[in-house]
Amino acid sequence: DQQVKQNSPSLSVQEGRISILNCDYTNSMFDYFLWYKKYPAEGPTFLISISSIKDKNEDGRFTVFLNKSAKHLSLHIVPSQPGDSAVYFCAARPPRSGGSNYKLTFGKGTLLTVNP
Amino acid sequence: GAGVSQSPSNKVTEKGKDVELRCDPISGHTALYWYRQSLGQGLEFLIYFQGNSAPDKSGLPSDRFSAERTGGSVSTLTIQRTQQEDSAVYLCASSLAGTRNYGYTFGSGTRLTVV
C-alpha cells in the first residue's frame, strides 16, 4: 500500500515559468512533510519541509503548500531554472509519539525538466 | 568527513554471490539509515541505527540482508546469495539525533546490479 503518491512521473516546463509538483498521502498520522531533490548519480538532498500544523512554507523560489483535509501537498518553484531539472521526491514522517518517527516514507518521484 | 561516503559506487555481481556495501556517515552523526530505490520505485526504508540502541531492522526484505555499524560510525550492509530482485540503488543517510525536521544527508548510493 503506497502511503505517499506522486502521480506524475514527469513534468516539463519552460524556464521562467512556474513548476508545480504534486504529492498525495493516505496516512493522516503523518505530521511532517519534506521534499528532496535528486540529480543523476547523486543522493537526494533536502530541499524544503512543512509541519502539518502549517499550510505554507516558503524558502526563496520554493514554496510548499499543505492541504490537510485533502491530504495533498504541492511544491511550487517560481521562476523555474534549467538547474532545477532533477527528480523531486515527496516524503512524510510519522509523529514523534509513534516510536518510529525517524522513518521517512517516500513517493516514487517526479522528473522535472526545465527547458531553456 | 564532509559528507556521507558510500562505496563502491557501482557493483555488478553474479546471482548467488554475497556483497558488502559500505557507508561512512558524517562525523558526529549518531543516526544512520539505509534505504534502497528499485527501478521505478520510491525510496524504501531498510534499517536504522541510533547510537548504542538496538537497530530497527523492520525494513530488511529477507534474512539474506543484514547490517552492522561498528563503533557508532561506519556501517556495512551485507546481502547474501544475491538475487536479481536485489538490483537497486542502495542509499545510506545520516543525521544528528533530534533533527527530525530537516531530513537526512544522503550519500550518492551504491548501484547494485545482479546478473
Side-chain angles (χ1 to χ4, degrees):
Chain A
D1 177 32
Q2 199 179 349
Q3 296 190 63
V4 177
K5 299 178 184 179
Q6 294 177 257
N7 292 319
S8 297
S10 63
L11 174 68
S12 183
V13 300
Q14 285 299 119
E15 181 177 6
R17 307 294 286 269
I18 184 171
S19 295
I20 300 177
L21 298 138
N22 293 304
C23 178
D24 297 292
Y25 61 96
T26 58
N27 187 346
S28 59
M29 298 302 291
F30 288 140
D31 78 339
Y32 217 86
F33 303 90
L34 306 94
W35 284 93
Y36 282 80
K37 176 179 179 180
K38 184 181 184 303
Y39 292 117
E42 295 184 11
T45 56
F46 170 74
L47 186 59
I48 191 169
S49 63
I50 188 167
S51 164
S52 61
I53 64 173
K54 299 192 173 181
D55 55 19
K56 177 183 175 181
N57 187 27
E58 188 173 355
D59 183 2
R61 296 186 297 114
F62 302 91
T63 302
V64 56
F65 295 91
L66 175 62
N67 182 334
K68 281 189 67 177
S69 60
K71 295 192 182 69
H72 176 83
L73 64 155
S74 60
L75 174 68
H76 292 209
I77 307 173
V78 182
S80 302
Q81 300 173 354
D84 296 329
S85 297
V87 176
Y88 289 79
F89 289 98
C90 172
R93 192 192 296 270
R96 186 185 296 276
S97 61
S100 19
N101 62 80
Y102 45 81
K103 286 184 189 176
L104 291 180
T105 300
F106 286 83
K108 293 185 179 181
T110 297
L111 173 62
L112 172 66
T113 303
V114 180
N115 301 303
Chain B
V4 177
S5 178
Q6 291 188 246
S7 61
S9 55
N10 281 284
K11 176 73 176 178
V12 180
T13 190
E14 291 181 354
K15 178 181 172 181
K17 295 287 180 75
D18 298 351
V19 295
E20 282 190 354
L21 312 179
R22 177 188 168 104
C23 173
D24 201 341
I26 291 174
S27 178
H29 279 192
T30 56
L32 187 147
Y33 318 78
W34 283 97
Y35 280 76
R36 76 174 175 181
Q37 184 182 15
S38 303
L39 189 63
Q41 302 298 314
L43 279 70
E44 173 190 8
F45 169 81
L46 297 178
I47 188 168
Y48 162 71
F49 295 92
Q50 171 56 48
N52 295 320
S53 302
D56 177 350
K57 304 179 181 180
S58 61
L60 294 179
S62 77
D63 59 7
R64 296 185 295 103
F65 287 72
S66 63
E68 63 177 21
R69 188 179 185 191
T70 54
S73 181
V74 172
S75 177
T76 302
L77 177 69
T78 301
I79 309 173
Q80 295 178 310
R81 305 180 303 281
T82 52
Q83 303 295 313
Q84 288 186 328
E85 62 262 28
D86 300 334
S87 296
V89 176
Y90 288 81
L91 290 158
C92 176
S94 69
S95 71
L96 287 169
T99 57
R100 65 190 297 270
N101 295 344
Y102 297 95
Y104 323 140
T105 301
F106 281 92
S108 296
T110 294
R111 180 176 295 277
L112 175 67
T113 304
V114 182
V115 298

